[in-house]
Amino acid sequence: MTVNSGSPAWYLRRLSRMGPREVGGRVGDTVRRRRWRSEPPDCPSVTGARFTAVLPAGTFAAIPPDAAKRLIAEADRLMYGHAEYFGVVRDDMTDPDWWCDPKTGRRAPWGYAFDVPYRNEDAVGDIKQIWEPSRHQYLTQLAAAYAITGDERYAERVAEHLRSWWSANPPLRGVHWISGIELGIRLLSWVWIRRLLDGWPGAAGLFEGNPVALNQIWHHQRWLAAFPSRGSSANNHVVAEAAGQFAAACAFGWFPSSARWRAEALRSLERHLRSNTFPSGLNRELATEYHGLVLELGLAAVAEADAADVPVPATIRLVLLRMTDALAAVVDNRLRPPRQGDADDGHGLVVDGEGTDRWASLLATGDAVFGRLAWWPTVTGTDVRTPLLAALIRPYANKGTAPAVARPASRPGHFADAGMTILRGPAEIWCRCDGGPHGFLSIAAHAHADALSVEVRHDGVDVLADPGTFCYHGQPEWRQYFRSTLGHNTLQLDDSDQSVSGGPFLWTRQARSRVLVADASDASGGGTARWCAEHDGYQPSVHRRRVELTAASQELRIVDEVRGRHGPHRAVRLAFHLGPAVAADLADNRAVLTWTRDGEERSAVLDLPGQLSWRSHRGETDPPLGWYSPGFGRKEPATTLVGTGFADGSGPLGEFTTVLRFRGPGDE
């Protein structure tokens, strides 16, 4: 099915979200693309290139044995041709077709890159299935396996695939020359591949001694310098573009323009790391996986700067420090962060095998680079990436050279700028309350219509779950569902979303939220944590929600009101999405919830508002309802409880009260 993001109406809606400066920049991009079609830039000749950004001696000895074992197992699967991207298993990775989408069987058309209709799945296939292997992060895994084992089979496979890709994707031709984030991440992968293959005799001949590789590296950087993400699109994409450009200009600084590219990329990186991050350290897109992506990209860029002895502004390290502290503050007791906003499983640098905890890895790197605070959660997992980055990045507090920064003395529970509040209670109860901005920039591309939603876990298990993302392109009904108001644990009026979508990455009207009360005191000490917020997405009415987490009763109370002027019969739907591990036995307005954790049976009682009529939904498709997406491209049935009724009268209404009470061992 063709997505609606290429229609004339969409272009008009998209144009309406741009300012004059962005419009002017995009006009210039269009002119440049036309010129490059007839007069493509030529790579200058390069002589005497050397790669010097190597890892210090002894680095690989610091890699924990279990992390190395996971990586080598992953590398061996890749050597046999096995990989999985977004829920699609591939067995053709010994000799991949770089243009084929294995999900639909379609091949992207050949031609000038900017003519390829990549948003049209009927013509191209699932673009993310095509793009993902060409980020070459699976090759960084193979290169890391060579560096650890010395087995040249891994290095030879990397060389074979790079030569294949370079041959099949000449500059400016085809689908892999369309999106700047793809070029930026691919450059970062190439830098690390060259570094990890440094002990292999063929490394120099594959890169600095190879005119084809030099041509590709130059054209990638020339492209990124010419077509940066602009204005309303300057989200995580522009950070990836700048990080990849900067890394390549540091490690592959062999071209006449390298110094200029390096300086421009560093300025862009500093500016956009700041603009993409709240002062509290949370990512402004309010999409947790993009917090992880931006943090990974920033750390990788600083590693290249320190390896090349290039000074970086102190603000870059400060933003990364705050992002790391914020991540440590919001994770649950199993080190899982919130599931908020879009998530597409994107990573900045991949050198670990399956089973490595991404968030534990980032916190371990934060410990090595910035130093952990006393309130940080304990990280018990291991990874390959942390020793590699730590070998290059100078410690933040190195000989007192870092600027004095007041880091949180205790674990923050409320992030006022991001509107996120984490309530914590006994028995590992964790609750995220959302009262923040709808999203970032004028289009809020990765936002969901989830104002005032809650997400509740017990010992790391999703009880009241954020359902996730599932897809971006090609399946508009599923894209709409997973980012809809009904697709989140919040209240819907008149079958409408709080914010109005203008396309799969565009919101034309955004609900405004404000937090009224945020007492995130840790309720495990015996007290009650409280939160209250409201939003204006249902004008002229206002939806207000109060949440209380009480320690003594292990009880979470949620109270919803529709306030202000409204008609006599506003249809109400209140949804609670359960995690896939949770079973529900619904009778009238009470649901008994059960699940298993580490072999132990757990349970809770969910008392739902009696004014509404409650039904259980699971795995429905027409329309979609009752689904959970554990990762991009994957979805599984889960139970959703939906109450329907009417909000009658005017002014404050009778309260819709929901009580979730966790049972301890022996409770009836």
Side-chain angles (χ1 to χ4, degrees), residues 355-372:
T356 302
D357 187 322
R358 175 187 197 174
W359 309 105
S361 171
L362 278 169
L363 291 176
T365 303
D367 186 1
V369 173
F370 303 119
R372 73 186 309 277

Side-chain angles (χ1 to χ4, degrees), residues 5 32 90 145 227 229-230 255 295 299 313 354 356 433 486 493 522 540-541 599 604 614 641:
S5 56
R32 190 174 297 109
R90 298 186 61 160
F227 303 114
S229 293
R230 302 179 184 277
F255 307 101
L295 180 53
L299 289 168
E354 184 178 356
T356 302
C433 303
L486 183 61
L493 282 184
D522 193 332
S541 300
W614 289 90
L641 305 175

Side-chain angles (χ1 to χ4, degrees), residues 331-335 422-431 455-463 522-524 549 551 554 595 597-598 600 602 662:
V331 295
D332 64 22
N333 69 305
R334 300 277 180 149
L335 302 186
I422 306 293
L423 307 181
R424 298 177 187 271
E428 297 81 33
I429 299 171
W430 176 98
C431 174
E455 184 184 3
V456 181
R457 298 179 192 154
H458 186 277
D459 197 12
V461 173
D462 291 310
V463 178
D522 193 332
S524 62
L549 176 58
Q554 295 191 39
W595 65 96
R597 180 54 147 167
D598 298 333
E600 179 183 338
R602 312 281 181 95
F662 292 95

Side-chain angles (χ1 to χ4, degrees), residues 146 150 152 155-156 163 194 197-208:
Y146 162 75
E152 294 192 358
E156 290 163 356
R163 290 191 172 105
R194 176 60 185 88
L197 293 184
D198 191 60
W200 180 53
L206 179 63
F207 280 93
E208 57 266 31

Side-chain angles (χ1 to χ4, degrees), residues 68-213:
K69 183 177 179 180
R70 288 194 302 272
L71 169 63
I72 294 166
E74 183 73 24
D76 288 342
R77 283 191 289 271
L78 290 166
M79 290 294 289
Y80 282 108
H82 305 311
E84 181 179 329
Y85 295 107
F86 310 133
V88 176
V89 175
R90 298 186 61 160
D91 296 315
D92 63 342
M93 293 301 291
T94 55
D95 184 20
D97 183 339
W98 303 109
W99 291 40
C100 181
D101 164 26
K103 189 173 79 173
T104 64
R106 298 187 181 100
R107 295 191 82 251
W110 174 260
Y112 185 56
F114 299 112
D115 292 341
V116 176
Y118 71 96
R119 294 188 180 96
N120 186 339
E121 185 168 313
D122 292 334
V124 176
D126 185 331
I127 190 61
K128 285 188 69 64
Q129 287 288 345
I130 297 173
W131 276 344
E132 191 69 15
S134 289
R135 290 185 171 188
H136 290 168
Q137 293 175 325
Y138 78 97
L139 295 182
T140 59
Q141 293 172 308
L142 289 173
Y146 162 75
I148 290 172
T149 66
D151 188 336
E152 294 192 358
R153 294 180 306 118
Y154 300 123
E156 290 163 356
R157 177 62 58 81
V158 171
E160 176 187 338
H161 280 206
L162 283 178
R163 290 191 172 105
S164 167
W165 195 93
W166 291 333
S167 174
N169 297 278
L172 302 178
R173 309 301 294 180
V175 73
H176 295 299
W177 290 88
I178 296 172
S179 173
I181 187 174
E182 304 304 316
L183 276 74
I185 290 177
R186 192 155 52 239
L187 276 178
L188 185 58
S189 294
W190 291 354
V191 168
W192 274 91
I193 289 167
R194 176 60 185 88
R195 174 174 290 127
L196 293 164
L197 293 184
D198 191 60
W200 180 53
L206 179 63
F207 280 93
E208 57 266 31
N210 182 357
V212 175

Side-chain angles (χ1 to χ4, degrees), residues 623-635:
L625 187 59
W627 295 91
Y628 178 94
S629 175
F632 196 83
R634 294 177 288 146
K635 67 180 187 298

